[in-house]
Amino acid sequence: MRQWIIKVHPKDNVMVALTDLKAGEEVTYEGETYKAAEFIPAKHKFAINDLQQGDSIIMYGVLVGKAQSFIPAGGLLTTGNIKHAASGFQAEVHHHEWHKPDISSFANRKFNGYHRADGSVGTANYWLIVPMVFCENRNVEVLQEALIKPLGYGRKKTYELKAQNLIDKIKSGGSIDEILYTEVEPSGTALGNAKLFPNVDGIKFLSHTGGCGGIRQDSETLCGLLAGYITHPNVAGATVLSLGCQNAQVSILQREIQKRSPNFNKPLYILDQQKTGTEAEMLDQAIRQTLAGLMLANNNTRRPAPLSKLTIGLECGGSDGFSGISANPAIGYTSDLLVSLGGSVILSEFPELCGVEQNLIDRCVDKDKAARFTGLIRTYSQRAEEAGSGFDMNPSPGNIKDGLITDAIKSAGAAKKGGTSPVVDVLDYPEKVTKPGLNLLCTPGNDVESTTAEVGSGANIVLFTTGLGTPTGNPITPVVKIASNTTLYNKMNDIIDINTGTIIEGEETIQQAGERILDYVIKVASGEIEVSAVTHGQDDFIPWKRGVSL
């Protein structure tokens, strides 16, 4: 049944408006009547009781802020009358009992994936072309132009054709009004050639701005990330372009590859421009070797695999006041289902765990994991403060406009993505996931930096929740976009895959949505559904240059 307001946790002293409330409007929740003291926009919070200056603001059962002035019962919480606050935490673990969800409907399910020699299973089959340093980015672009269209990986040129039609109108004397307002339909689709290698999903190019300059640790971390992509189960092999003199030496990359995959046996072609000589000679070799690698990659076909071979990255971006009530807890339930089935999940974005640290510490399987998490998050927070910032500055203008007015409010909702299962491991960027269960990965809250990192750590599917809308994708891993509200889903359904606004509208429970999402994940992992980010070629890749990024 549709509700107009909701209290997220029994301990909360604020309510969330699920729809706009007029000043003076009375609404009922669980037998109690509440009166809006002023206009309360949907997704925003209002006080249950009178709050005095200095009083604690509790939401999701945790401290999320302090009142900066008197707030009457029914009064709107704003950036002017509350300030970020969060409870302290200690590395001491207070274990809680985990109640596993019912997995009977998924117990015998499998997905069809690409099996690798190391026992991992990919949800896709890509070839990579990787520069060791930004100096090679142009050569990467040349290879992209040379290979994509002839091999049948080109995409529809809808906008190029539309632009051409408008340009033709200008040439024939069309007016400004015709250019601005006349409907133009592209003539033809220009799909290009059929795929020469039907079992290879594509060639992906990981251009970046690193590899030299900065500090040596930057290059070592970059090599670790690139090694994570090269050894990834969604990757069949790679062509690597090196200038030769950069900080990110090939030897570092090879060491990082061996660290992640001691028996690495994928096709890997490495070209050094300063050793090869002319650019033409190097690119000729790169094209020949890449085509040979694609011939090998094409021999792999999809075969059944248990759901335990899935590693799901949990991400959010463009969050709104409903994200922590619908989409995030829904994929949290999906996470619990997958963990119960023997799979792995990754919860990252450490600046967005502010205020829920103790809950995660209490869920750590041992003191070592708790200590590592505590050390990583405290060091990260300290570096942010030393740079003149802090976790409290994490919420974006879009977050604040839609009700996430303190970092703790945003974080408490964001952490719901991790479900309720025990924390089996704590990883520092860009370490690899090696244990089934819930893994914490130190990354920024920045959408693309965090998604890039999760995939580098082994995520072969990413679940990405959003309340405001974002096109974010990844070069090698399907990113499933999940709307927190139906309005967004209907408005931007060309880039959104799943709607959980059904939870807000009372049409579906969190558990039902979580099961629906896992069913969708299985189809994506099997190649039965192409997510919007893949359809649009949204290949976002931003390595985290280790430092302060919120």
Side-chain angles (χ1 to χ4, degrees):
M1 184 177 71
R2 180 66 189 265
Q3 296 176 334
W4 308 114
I5 59 176
I6 189 172
K7 188 178 184 181
V8 180
H9 190 278
K11 294 181 180 179
D12 292 357
N13 59 2
V14 299
M15 302 290 290
V16 183
L18 302 181
T19 188
D20 289 349
L21 301 178
K22 298 176 183 177
E25 184 174 354
E26 293 186 346
V27 285
T28 301
Y29 179 78
E30 295 186 348
E32 295 287 336
T33 299
Y34 302 87
K35 184 177 180 180
E38 56 189 300
F39 173 66
I40 311 292
K43 308 179 186 180
H44 283 256
K45 292 82 184 166
F46 64 88
I48 292 177
N49 306 302
D50 288 350
L51 295 172
Q52 304 298 326
Q53 183 177 359
D55 282 354
S56 296
I57 310 295
I58 307 298
M59 187 175 175
Y60 295 101
V62 299
L63 176 66
V64 296
K66 292 280 189 178
Q68 296 300 291
S69 59
F70 173 72
I71 306 172
L76 177 68
L77 272 60
T78 70
T79 54
N81 61 21
I82 80 166
K83 184 178 181 180
H84 167 82
S87 299
F89 57 93
Q90 299 295 328
E92 186 176 347
V93 179
H94 302 90
H95 285 296
H96 76 298
E97 185 179 353
W98 181 45
H99 300 284
K100 293 184 179 182
D102 179 7
I103 58 171
S104 56
S105 58
F106 293 97
N108 298 316
R109 296 283 298 275
K110 295 183 181 296
F111 73 99
N112 287 317
Y114 294 95
H115 293 247
R116 305 300 179 189
D118 62 1
S120 64
V121 181
T123 62
N125 195 32
Y126 287 106
W127 187 270
L128 284 184
I129 293 183
V130 182
M132 293 298 299
V133 63
F134 54 80
C135 307
E136 291 297 325
N137 282 345
R138 192 189 69 82
N139 287 332
V140 168
E141 292 174 2
V142 171
L143 292 176
Q144 189 169 4
E145 292 174 0
L147 294 169
I148 292 298
K149 188 174 180 180
L151 289 175
Y153 296 119
R155 297 189 172 273
K156 292 182 180 180
K157 295 186 176 180
T158 303
Y159 301 109
E160 182 178 332
L161 292 167
K162 183 171 286 191
Q164 186 60 58
N165 286 341
L166 290 170
I167 290 167
D168 290 341
K169 279 186 177 294
I170 294 174
K171 289 180 177 178
S172 62
S175 67
I176 290 177
D177 283 347
E178 284 182 282
I179 300 305
L180 290 175
Y181 305 115
T182 303
E183 287 292 327
V184 177
E185 292 297 328
S187 55
T189 56
L191 283 172
N193 304 324
K195 286 167 61 174
L196 179 60
F197 301 111
N199 295 325
V200 180
D201 292 297
I203 308 174
K204 296 298 180 177
F205 305 82
L206 303 186
S207 296
H208 56 83
T209 59
C212 208
I215 58 177
R216 295 301 172 93
Q217 288 87 339
D218 291 337
S219 294
E220 291 173 359
T221 300
L222 175 64
C223 286
L225 179 69
L226 297 178
Y229 275 72
I230 292 170
T231 60
H232 195 281
N234 289 3
V235 171
T239 303
V240 176
L241 303 186
S242 169
L243 178 61
C245 60
Q246 71 276 349
N247 286 342
Q249 285 289 294
V250 169
S251 59
I252 302 174
L253 176 67
Q254 292 171 325
R255 185 174 69 240
E256 291 292 333
I257 288 173
Q258 286 299 308
K259 185 189 301 183
R260 288 160 177 77
S261 181
N263 299 313
F264 181 78
N265 65 349
K266 292 179 183 179
L268 179 63
Y269 306 114
I270 300 174
L271 297 113
D272 185 311
Q273 187 170 3
Q274 290 172 345
K275 287 182 180 178
T276 302
T278 66
E279 175 188 289
E281 186 176 354
M282 184 184 74
L283 292 176
D284 178 75
Q285 289 183 32
I287 291 171
R288 292 175 187 273
Q289 292 173 347
T290 298
L291 291 174
L294 287 166
M295 294 171 71
L296 294 172
N298 195 54
N299 292 329
N300 200 346
T301 58
R302 290 184 182 272
R303 292 184 287 118
L307 299 186
S308 59
K309 294 295 183 179
L310 289 176
T311 298
I312 293 182
L314 308 168
E315 188 64 37
C316 58
S319 298
D320 73 341
F322 287 161
S323 292
I325 303 171
S326 58
N328 290 349
I331 70 169
Y333 191 75
T334 304
S335 301
D336 286 347
L337 288 170
L338 187 64
V339 168
S340 299
L341 291 161
S344 302
V345 295
I346 306 171
L347 180 64
S348 57
E349 303 175 286
F350 273 26
E352 297 182 7
L353 300 179
C354 179
V356 295
E357 297 96 339
Q358 193 63 56
N359 173 268
L360 292 168
I361 289 167
D362 290 345
R363 289 162 58 184
C364 287
V365 295
D366 57 48
K367 293 181 179 179
D368 289 342
K369 304 296 184 296
R372 193 174 199 212
F373 174 64
T374 302
L376 285 171
I377 204 159
R378 281 182 171 155
T379 299
Y380 196 162
S381 178
Q382 181 181 347
R383 288 176 178 171
E385 291 171 2
E386 289 170 351
S389 186
F391 286 178
D392 61 306
M393 299 181 70
N394 177 263
S396 69
N399 295 150
I400 294 168
K401 180 181 178 183
D402 263 41
L404 303 180
I405 55 178
T406 73
D407 185 58
I409 291 177
K410 180 179 179 180
S411 297
K416 293 292 182 182
K417 302 192 301 291
T420 59
S421 68
V423 174
V424 298
D425 209 356
V426 178
L427 308 172
D428 196 8
Y429 174 83
E431 292 175 335
K432 178 184 177 180
V433 168
T434 60
K435 297 179 181 179
L438 173 61
N439 294 258
L440 303 182
L441 173 66
C442 184
T443 76
N446 177 285
D447 309 350
V448 178
E449 286 177 318
S450 182
T451 301
T452 299
E454 289 183 341
V455 174
S457 290
N460 52 11
I461 293 280
V462 172
L463 296 180
F464 191 117
T465 67
T466 182
L468 303 176
T470 173
T472 302
N474 182 265
I476 64 170
T477 289
V479 178
V480 182
K481 221 66 59 51
I482 302 165
S484 71
N485 62 89
T486 302
T487 299
L488 170 65
Y489 180 74
N490 291 335
K491 182 180 181 182
M492 302 180 74
N493 57 26
D494 60 328
I495 63 170
I496 304 293
D497 304 296
I498 293 176
N499 178 32
T500 59
T502 49
I503 297 170
I504 301 297
E505 291 147 10
E507 298 175 2
E508 194 176 31
T509 66
I510 287 170
Q511 292 76 16
Q512 289 169 334
E515 291 181 349
R516 175 166 59 91
I517 292 167
L518 182 54
D519 185 68
Y520 189 91
V521 164
I522 294 169
K523 293 174 182 176
V524 171
S526 299
E528 297 173 21
I529 295 176
E530 184 177 83
V531 300
S532 60
V534 173
T535 299
H536 292 298
Q538 190 77 32
D539 293 341
D540 299 306
F541 179 80
I542 302 180
W544 181 22
K545 186 177 180 182
R546 196 60 183 262
V548 178
S549 176
L550 297 177

